[in-house]
Each structure stands twice: as structure tokens, then as C-alpha cells.
Amino acid sequence: MDLLRWPVVGPFLRWRHARTSLQLVLLAAAVVIVLHGLVGPDLASTNLATVLTWVHYRGLLVVALLAAGNLFCLGCPLVRVRDWGRQLHMPRRAWPARLRGKWIGVALFAAVLLTYELFDLWALPAATAWLVLGYFAAAVVVDLTFRGASFCQYVCPVGQFNFVASTVSPLELRMRDANTCRTCRTADCVSGRKAPAGDTALRPRVVQRGCELGLFMPAKVGNLDCTFCLDCVQACPHDNIALASRVPGAELADDRRRSGIGRLVDRVDLAALVVVFSFGALLNAFLMVAPAQALQGWMEHDWGLSRASVLALLFGAGLVVLPFGLLGAAAFSTRALTGDGAPPGLVVRRFVMSLVPLATGVWAAHYGFHLLTGLLVVVPITQNAVLDLTGAPWLGWPFWRWTGLRPGSVFPLQAGLVLLGAFGSVAVVQATAERDYGARMWRAAAPWLMLTTLLAMTALWILFQPMQMRGMGP
Amino acid sequence: MLIRLAAAAVLLVLCACSGPQAPFSPGFTAELTPTPPVVGREFDVRLEVAEASVPLLDAAALELEGHMTHPGMAPEVARLVEDAPGRYRARIRITMAGEWVLLVTGRLANGRPVREEVARATAVAE
Ligand code: SF4
Ligand code: SF4
Ligand SMILES: [Cu+2]
């Protein structure tokens, strides 16, 4: 199945300006977010900045990843503004070799999760607006200094989230016919399509850029690092690229060498990214239920700690100590059960990818909850904004009754997403064990199946707790 | 394109600043029973307004809005009932534990919007 050959969708996606048009829609939303965040009401639940960012954008992003693919990178407005900037100034430098890899992105991803809790960002419209502006500034500065998609590949925390979650997306870009690529002499999909020879310049001019993330289509495996930008589709002179359906998550157990990435088991930084993505999913959900707040209050009062130190401790425990202990224990058990002499770190890197489906289920359950319970609030808030702005109810008096599903009614869906994710993780554990341990596969898999079960039960327990919507607000 | 967007942005900001009529704060004091409010049960809000504002207000044009500080959660809206000149009452049921902000909103007789935060409360589960 190839979406690029579908009626309507296909022609749209192959249209030269498809990406730009999507970017402009999201850019308009970003402009609304920034303006209302800065000049609108301080109360987060009546401000479009906080509602569109923390309810709609986050939720729809995860829904799109699960239903199709990395659509929010495809339509990312940061890249639109960056490309305008590049019309004025083309960067010459390459991203420094020492900074390759995901470490900066991992650190920023963890930092965003911590900042979000520490300052109750969801309750602060102006701070949310500044965060969005900060993203734009960072993207422009990085990408006007360095070539390619340096910001997406090495810096952007949202991008790293999308890359990891897109491994369980049902769609991917891949070559259509291996023979066409084998006989292809130009590799335009990665190096860009040049103007026909005989054109004025000495060096041929690139008329359509190739993959800015360095993914060479015949050697591309899976969705990691793919922004769904479709540049490769525009560039390939043989029309040999498909947006095809596939088994979600299967690539997590695929240890072939990938273009631009190498082999997954060799990448410590990717393992760290998956750890932050997975344990961050649980931590981020945990911090909004009542027991977490009781725990925080207790640590503050009984231990005499500040809120910042309490959160630093919880993040250290949740994103470093706990994963280290659990993954280490599982790796040692696998070694003991199979007599495998591989270093524990390597065993961890083999199996850590199996956390992704479950973790994506947890993110989807959490952000899906906010999206579904708050889906329609954007209507009364927009009405209210117009009322504030003009003094007249041009869109009618705010329909405050328009909200979304009742919180309790979302629980079955949340539980379903977590269980579906857990099944996906079990399948990845099984495939990995079969790949690396052959006949001893069940012995190798047992500790990781237990870990999956433990994490899935933790997730269900968290979702089952009463929510407590804290946030001091302004 | 960039220029057009920037122009639109500036225009919007100007509208917002030169604004129509700034909302009016009549000066309410609020008393909640019980405190803290309990999730799933109704609670009473008694409001008293500054004497100078009494003649400007009409209870029928006022509402009590309860919003969570967390975006995306359903607000609760209740009518104000006038007990005596300058004294109002509303009953409101809250549906979720956490931080709530109570606002009085509506209009004055001359059409000027009213909007005032009258209380904050952390609702607890039963
Ligand atoms: S995808 Fe197109 S441009 Fe890339 S190698 Fe294959 S045929 Fe060549
Ligand atoms: S050009 Fe690269 S990032 Fe863009 S869709 Fe193709 S493979 Fe993905
Ligand atoms: Cu939440």
C-alpha cells in the first residue's frame, strides 16, 4: 500500500507546496499561541496558548504518530521560519562531529520535562508563549549556523520524541523497487537533484534538496530520524519512493545497519533516548495524580526540601537510578539464564528498544486523556478571546458547556492503549530474543517480559489513581 | 509572506492593547463553605460586593465560573442569586480534585463586561 498513489492524498503529498501549506497552518496556530499567551488572560484554562499547546498540540501529535506517522515534523512551523531565514543567509558549516548523536537532544528532552513540572508550565500562558518563541529562536540560530537539519537531528526535544514514537507508526518512506536504486547513479534522494548539466554554473545548482538528515533511501531502515518531510520523494528522479504501510514497531528488533544511524545496538545515545522517553512517560503521568502530590508534599515537609530539590530527586530516581537498576538487573538475569558472555551494556542495548511500544502507549493514554476531555474547550475559549478582544460576542457567548468526554469515560481507552503497547513490547522482546539467542530465546526473554509486565502494571496503576490538577497559576 | 504575517501580528496586538472596554472588577469578597471544597459535592459561594458597585450590578446578568488552573478541564458555571442588595449566592459542583479559580463574569447595565477573580480553592477528593 502506497499513500503516494492514493487518490486525493497522493497528489496532495506529491504537490511541491504540500509541506509549506501544512507548515503555514501550524505557523498560524503558533502565532495565535504566542499572541494570546502574551496579551490574553492569565488563567491557563481560558488562554489559547496553554490550551492549544498542552491539550491539543501534544494530544494530536501522539494521535498522528499512532495513526499515520511523523506528521508534526512534516508540518513543523520552525522549519518554515528557518527556510525563510536561509533565503537571507545560507549556513556553510557542518554540525561539529563531536556533537553528533542524540546526547544534546536527550538532555534537552529531560530538561523540558523537568521545567514543565518545576514551573507548572501548563498553568502559565505567558511562559508557554516564551517557550514557543524560544523554540523558534533556537531553531533559527542552530540552522542558520549549521547546514542540513541540524536542529531536528541533534537538538530539538520534540523531534527526538517524534523520532522514537514514529518507530511504532504504521507508515514509513521506503524505496519502491530495489533494482531501480541499484542502478541509480545519482542518489538524488540524499544529495539533492541538480539542474541539468550545461547550466551556467561550474558546480551544478541543487534544484531540489535531498534528505537533510542524511538518510539514503536504499539503506534507510524504519522511521528513526525521518521527519516525513518528503524531500526525498520530490528529489528522486525515478519516482521510486513510497509512503508505505508496515508492521508498527517491527523495526525495533531490526539490527540491520541503517543509513544515517548505523546499527541500533551500537548506539548508547539512542538507548539513553529510549530510556528517557520510556521512563519519562511514566514519570510525567505519575506527577499528575494525587499520590505523587502527597509524596511531594511529604518530602517537602518531612525532609525540609524545596520543591526544586524534590523534583530533582524524583527525576534523578525516575530517569536515571530506577532505569539503571531495572535494566541492569534484567541484563544480568539474561546473562545468567543463557550463559551469554556479552557485556551487560550490550544486552541492555539489544533489549531496550522493546520499551518503546509500551511507553508510546503510556504517552498516548496520558495525552489522549487531556485531548479527549478538553477537545472542545477551544471553542468557548476562542469565543471568549474574541469577546475580550472586541468587547462584543462576535462568535457568540462562550459555550462553557462544550468540553469533551468525561474523565471517567476515557479510562477504558487509556487502559486499552497501555495494553496494546504492552503487547507490542512483548512482541519486540520476543523478536529480539529470537534474533540474538536462537534456541535460548525464552530464557533470554524472560527477564524483559517481566520488566514489561512490571512497567505496564505501574502504568495502569498510575492511570487508575485520582487525578489532581495542581498548578499554582499566576 | 513574512511581512504580511508580521503586519497581521502587529495589528492583532494593537487591537488587544487599545482594547474595547477593559473588564470591570466590582470588588467582591467571597466565602466558601465547606473549605476546602469536596469533589462531587456542591458547595456554597457567598459573595459580597463593595457598596459603591451595588447600583451597577444586576444579578441576572452575572455568573460564577469555576475554572481549573490546568488547561483543558471542564469549567463549572452557576447563576448568581441575589439574597439582599450587594449580597449574592451561588451553588457550584466541582468535578475534579485540584486547583480551582472562581470568577464572576457578566455585564453591567451599560454593557461593560465584568470579570473578577473572587477566590481560589484546592478541591480535595472525598
Ligand atoms: S530512491 Fe531514487 S534517488 Fe534514491 S537511490 Fe533510489 S532511485 Fe536513486
Ligand atoms: S528526505 Fe529524509 S527525512 Fe525527509 S521524508 Fe525522506 S527520508 Fe524522511
Ligand atoms: Cu497530564
Side-chain angles (χ1 to χ4, degrees):
Chain A
M1 192 185 86
D2 176 5
L3 262 72
L4 298 177
R5 302 266 151 128
W6 277 16
V8 188
V9 188
F12 173 74
L13 290 174
R14 298 157 74 97
W15 176 42
R16 278 191 65 82
H17 302 295
R19 189 178 198 201
T20 308
S21 54
L22 294 173
Q23 287 169 329
L24 290 178
V25 172
L26 288 185
L27 184 61
V31 169
V32 168
I33 285 171
V34 168
L35 289 178
H36 207 226
L38 294 178
V39 305
D42 286 342
L43 186 54
S45 42
T46 61
N47 193 298
L48 288 167
T50 30
V51 169
L52 288 179
T53 308
W54 304 120
V55 177
H56 293 85
Y57 170 74
R58 286 197 312 189
L60 292 171
L61 179 132
V62 179
V63 169
L65 280 162
L66 284 181
N70 199 349
L71 302 186
F72 277 78
C73 280
L74 166 61
C76 179
L78 306 182
V79 175
R80 182 70 263 138
V81 171
R82 174 204 81 168
D83 282 347
W84 281 329
R86 281 186 174 175
Q87 288 176 359
L88 306 173
H89 170 80
M90 252 324 216
R92 300 249 154 64
R93 255 181 273 197
W95 181 258
R98 263 173 306 129
L99 301 181
R100 293 257 164 86
K102 297 296 186 190
W103 289 111
I104 297 178
V106 173
L108 286 175
F109 182 13
V112 168
L113 292 179
L114 178 60
T115 315
Y116 174 77
E117 297 299 337
L118 185 58
F119 299 110
D120 296 345
L121 276 184
W122 63 89
L124 300 177
T128 301
W130 284 111
L131 179 74
V132 172
L133 285 173
Y135 266 105
F136 276 95
V140 167
V141 168
V142 169
D143 276 0
L144 292 194
T145 312
F146 301 108
R147 282 183 313 218
S150 300
F151 182 77
C152 313
Q153 197 162 11
Y154 305 115
V155 181
C156 182
V158 183
Q160 309 317 315
F161 179 97
N162 292 349
F163 292 150
V164 176
S166 67
T167 58
V168 297
S169 295
L171 297 176
E172 76 178 6
L173 284 141
R174 67 160 168 256
M175 66 178 171
R176 208 189 290 277
D177 167 45
N179 269 323
T180 310
C181 285
R182 207 168 297 134
T183 55
C184 171
R185 290 285 154 266
T186 56
D188 286 353
C189 56
V190 68
S191 55
R193 187 147 43 81
K194 327 286 185 302
D199 227 18
T200 51
L202 286 172
R203 249 204 288 166
R205 201 164 48 91
V206 172
V207 289
Q208 166 60 54
R209 70 182 174 212
C211 182
E212 293 195 285
L213 292 100
L215 306 179
F216 178 44
M217 200 45 72
K220 174 176 177 285
V221 176
N223 274 336
L224 278 175
D225 272 11
C226 176
T227 59
F228 261 56
C229 64
L230 306 177
D231 281 345
C232 51
V233 175
Q234 298 290 339
C236 174
H238 308 289
D239 190 15
N240 194 36
I241 297 175
L243 179 54
S245 60
R246 57 167 200 164
V247 179
E251 65 164 285
L252 292 164
D254 190 332
D255 72 342
R256 272 179 294 165
R257 186 170 296 283
R258 302 171 185 224
S259 175
I261 290 169
R263 295 180 59 206
L264 292 185
V265 287
D266 295 334
R267 293 282 303 263
V268 182
D269 56 336
L270 271 180
L273 176 60
V274 166
V275 164
V276 171
F277 177 88
S278 307
F279 287 80
L282 293 169
L283 187 60
N284 189 259
F286 175 62
L287 286 171
M288 65 182 310
V289 296
Q293 280 152 57
L295 175 68
Q296 278 172 280
W298 178 76
M299 284 169 79
E300 279 174 39
H301 293 133
D302 286 29
W303 297 2
L305 295 174
S306 69
R307 210 165 102 72
S309 352
V310 167
L311 281 172
L313 278 178
L314 288 178
F315 270 73
L319 297 188
V320 183
V321 180
L322 204 65
F324 208 81
L326 289 172
L327 298 174
F332 275 105
S333 314
T334 292
R335 276 163 43 109
L337 288 170
T338 58
D340 177 13
L346 175 59
V347 181
V348 169
R349 293 199 299 281
R350 281 176 184 155
F351 282 100
V352 73
M353 295 294 152
S354 69
L355 297 178
V356 173
L358 172 60
T360 310
V362 177
W363 285 113
H366 178 189
Y367 289 175
F369 169 86
H370 290 305
L371 179 66
L372 290 175
T373 54
L375 192 62
L376 301 178
V377 294
V378 66
V379 174
I381 292 169
T382 307
Q383 293 172 309
N384 200 39
V386 169
L387 180 61
D388 276 352
L389 208 63
T390 64
W394 295 107
L395 299 180
W397 292 96
F399 304 151
W400 289 124
R401 294 266 153 242
W402 285 33
T403 51
L405 297 177
R406 293 200 70 79
S409 66
V410 186
F411 181 73
L413 184 72
Q414 292 181 288
L417 284 166
V418 169
L419 288 178
L420 203 63
F423 283 126
S425 286
V426 166
V428 176
V429 167
Q430 188 190 340
T432 306
E434 197 170 356
R435 178 192 80 194
D436 290 341
Y437 293 89
R440 295 163 304 162
M441 65 174 283
W442 290 114
R443 289 164 164 262
W448 302 92
L449 294 177
M450 276 170 63
L451 179 62
T452 303
T453 313
L454 177 73
L455 295 179
M457 276 162 45
T458 310
L460 289 175
W461 176 81
I462 291 172
L463 296 178
F464 200 67
Q465 297 307 304
M467 288 258 205
Q468 185 150 343
M469 301 292 187
R470 104 201 122 72
M472 301 325 286
Chain B
M1 171 49 90
L2 197 55
I3 295 173
R4 238 181 283 165
L5 270 171
V10 169
L11 223 111
L12 262 168
V13 173
L14 285 181
C15 294
C17 299
S18 67
Q21 288 168 305
F24 176 64
S25 294
F28 285 102
T29 44
E31 197 187 303
L32 317 186
T33 31
T35 3
V38 179
V39 174
R41 282 201 222 135
E42 287 199 326
F43 74 103
D44 265 317
V45 182
R46 282 168 192 285
L47 295 159
E48 199 170 327
V49 78
E51 216 166 307
S53 306
V54 175
L56 304 174
L57 295 179
D58 169 13
L62 297 178
E63 284 179 332
L64 185 72
E65 289 175 12
H67 292 272
M68 296 209 80
T69 52
H70 197 293
M73 303 315 296
E76 302 292 332
V77 183
R79 292 237 144 261
L80 285 196
V81 181
E82 187 164 23
D83 280 343
R87 289 169 182 278
Y88 308 88
R89 179 165 44 84
R91 288 177 76 72
I92 201 163
R93 170 191 290 275
I94 50 191
T95 42
M96 181 160 294
E99 284 259 331
W100 287 81
V101 176
L102 300 179
L103 306 174
V104 172
T105 59
R107 321 227 101 196
L108 299 181
N110 64 10
R112 182 168 175 192
V114 172
R115 185 184 175 87
E116 183 179 345
E117 180 181 324
V118 296
R120 285 187 174 225
T122 304
V124 295
E126 253 177 303

